[in-house]
Amino acid sequence: DGYFEQVVRQCRYSSKDLQGAEFIDSYVFNKVEDIRFNSTVGKYVGYTEHGVKNAEAWNKGPVLAQELGELERYCKGNAAIYYSA
């Protein structure tokens, strides 16, 4: 009964110098990942019919520009907190 929707934002660090830092933003609907942004890839990738449609639209608009800045703002900006814990 009902629907399950989830957005998972992750920062992955491979070293303290942050050269290999990676930002991943995943959109999940009913336990199936529809679409993902990966800073290493530099764009959205769709995994379902709905996800492919959204990826095409989001890669053309201002949403992509915002996501491209999240590695610096969200991941690298919080890395000191991560490594101090």
Side-chain angles (χ1 to χ4, degrees):
D1 292 79
Y3 297 99
F4 173 80
E5 184 175 17
Q6 179 181 20
V7 177
V8 179
R9 303 183 99 191
Q10 303 176 54
C11 296
R12 295 185 181 171
Y13 305 100
S14 59
S15 66
K16 285 189 176 184
D17 68 3
L18 304 180
Q19 291 301 313
E22 182 178 45
F23 173 72
I24 300 170
D25 198 3
S26 300
Y27 295 81
V28 178
F29 184 73
N30 283 348
K31 300 181 183 179
V32 175
E33 185 176 25
D34 283 326
I35 188 169
R36 174 188 289 183
F37 173 83
N38 183 315
S39 64
T40 304
V41 176
K43 65 179 184 177
Y44 287 97
V45 176
Y47 298 107
T48 63
E49 183 178 343
H50 182 328
V52 169
K53 264 187 177 176
N54 281 336
E56 288 174 3
W58 293 357
N59 284 329
K60 294 177 185 173
V63 177
L64 180 61
Q66 180 180 347
E67 287 283 39
L68 289 170
E70 291 298 281
L71 176 63
E72 293 295 324
R73 187 192 71 78
Y74 184 74
C75 293
K76 291 184 179 181
N78 290 307
I81 297 167
Y82 173 78
Y83 280 114
S84 69

